[in-house]
Amino acid sequence: MTKAIKSESSHEINIRFYNEHAVKLAEQYDSTQFEAVHQAWLPILKKSIRGSKLVCRILDIGAGSGRDAKFLAQLSTDENLIQVFAVEPAYSLAKQGKNNTSKITTKNTLPVTWLNDSLPYLLVTKAVNLKFDLILLSAVWMHIPLGKRSDSINSLKGLLTPNGKLIITLRHQRGSGSSGDERIMYKVSIEELQALCSNNELTVIEHTQLEQDKLGRDQVQWQTVVISHVNNCGSEEQKLFYEQ
């Protein structure tokens, strides 16, 4: 009797790719600066840090090379302590990230905590039993299959403080929509994200127009989306989103 061969899931295929190309990808990610990639929502980051009590807790999901986690952790001061948790399911890429964040020497910086976890359920992260003032999902959403996105949003909602902000970057692919390598990516849209938020008592505060890829890939464009609980939104956040 022939034993059936189990096919790889899109998650397994993507994790394998990130593990096999971890060093090259880390170099690619680290070639750009946090401020350049995330310029649109820097004012919201600053407000989140100032508005938190005692410690501002930030969750970086899909932390990769640790570029963003390192930058965020180094913003910690005596007046505004910052505690960063970095989630990365690809072991080899997480190794690069841990090495990157271990080099932080800034005074008052708390160590970055790395977690091997992934959407849609984030079970390891939930077990930490903390809520986060800011959750960053950078270059991740396109990897989440459409059928798992509602559960993903629900998990993220459960990890967000009442006044917290969820930042999601959407990767829009021109042409065929293919990633150009072995990675599997799915279509994204602001309309879908708005509908998912509405069904989970969240709301899209604001979003950018399509922006050019910071790595110079002509076929790739990005869009930044800021999300909060439905009872915590208003014109102040919308105005702050565009301040420079």
Side-chain angles (χ1 to χ4, degrees), residues 10-226:
S10 61
H11 176 76
E12 291 169 329
I13 291 171
N14 288 332
I15 294 300
R16 175 163 50 79
F17 178 89
Y18 284 112
N19 278 326
E20 291 176 353
H21 301 87
V23 174
K24 181 180 179 180
L25 289 170
E27 291 176 351
Q28 184 184 71
Y29 300 153
D30 292 344
S31 69
T32 56
Q33 300 295 316
F34 179 98
E35 299 98 319
V37 176
H38 300 297
Q39 181 182 14
W41 62 276
L42 283 177
I44 287 179
L45 169 61
K46 295 174 182 176
K47 184 179 180 184
S48 295
I49 294 172
R50 291 195 305 265
S52 61
K53 296 180 180 179
L54 299 178
V55 179
C56 176
R57 291 193 175 91
I58 299 177
L59 181 63
D60 181 10
I61 299 176
S65 69
R67 177 199 64 197
D68 295 348
K70 181 179 180 181
F71 176 90
L72 293 166
Q74 290 180 144
L75 295 177
S76 189
T77 65
D78 282 333
E79 295 77 21
N80 299 110
L81 286 175
I82 298 173
Q83 185 178 26
V84 177
F85 286 76
V87 171
E88 177 52 56
Y91 173 81
S92 296
L93 195 52
K95 184 178 179 180
Q96 297 292 319
K98 290 176 184 178
N99 182 58
N100 197 356
T101 57
S102 70
K103 297 176 181 177
I104 297 175
T105 58
T106 310
K107 184 182 178 182
N108 301 319
T109 299
L110 300 175
V112 174
T113 300
W114 284 81
L115 303 173
N116 185 344
D117 205 2
S118 62
L119 288 164
Y121 301 115
L122 294 171
L123 297 178
V124 176
T125 307
K126 291 175 182 176
V128 176
N129 200 29
L130 290 173
K131 301 283 188 179
F132 297 89
D133 302 291
L134 187 72
I135 300 177
L136 173 61
L137 211 69
S138 181
V140 172
W141 194 248
M142 71 281 189
H143 286 316
I144 309 299
L146 274 64
K148 296 184 177 181
R149 288 180 176 174
S150 181
D151 286 335
S152 295
I153 285 291
N154 187 263
S155 293
L156 294 166
K157 171 196 170 185
L159 291 167
L160 203 61
T161 62
N163 295 319
K165 298 294 182 292
L166 168 62
I167 311 294
I168 298 180
T169 65
L170 301 180
R171 172 172 166 152
H172 297 271
Q173 193 84 18
R174 293 174 178 170
S176 65
S178 171
S179 66
D181 50 47
E182 300 98 294
R183 289 175 294 178
I184 296 176
M185 299 182 185
Y186 302 93
K187 287 187 177 182
V188 300
S189 72
I190 185 64
E191 291 79 14
E192 179 210 30
L193 200 51
Q194 287 172 325
L196 288 171
C197 287
S198 178
N199 291 335
N200 286 277
E201 297 181 323
L202 295 172
T203 187
V204 171
I205 295 174
E206 191 55 277
H207 60 84
T208 64
Q209 299 301 311
L210 295 183
E211 301 173 331
Q212 293 304 117
D213 179 60
K214 295 299 187 292
L215 293 174
R217 295 169 293 190
D218 293 337
Q219 75 280 17
V220 177
Q221 292 179 305
W222 295 92
Q223 192 172 26
T224 301
V225 185
V226 182

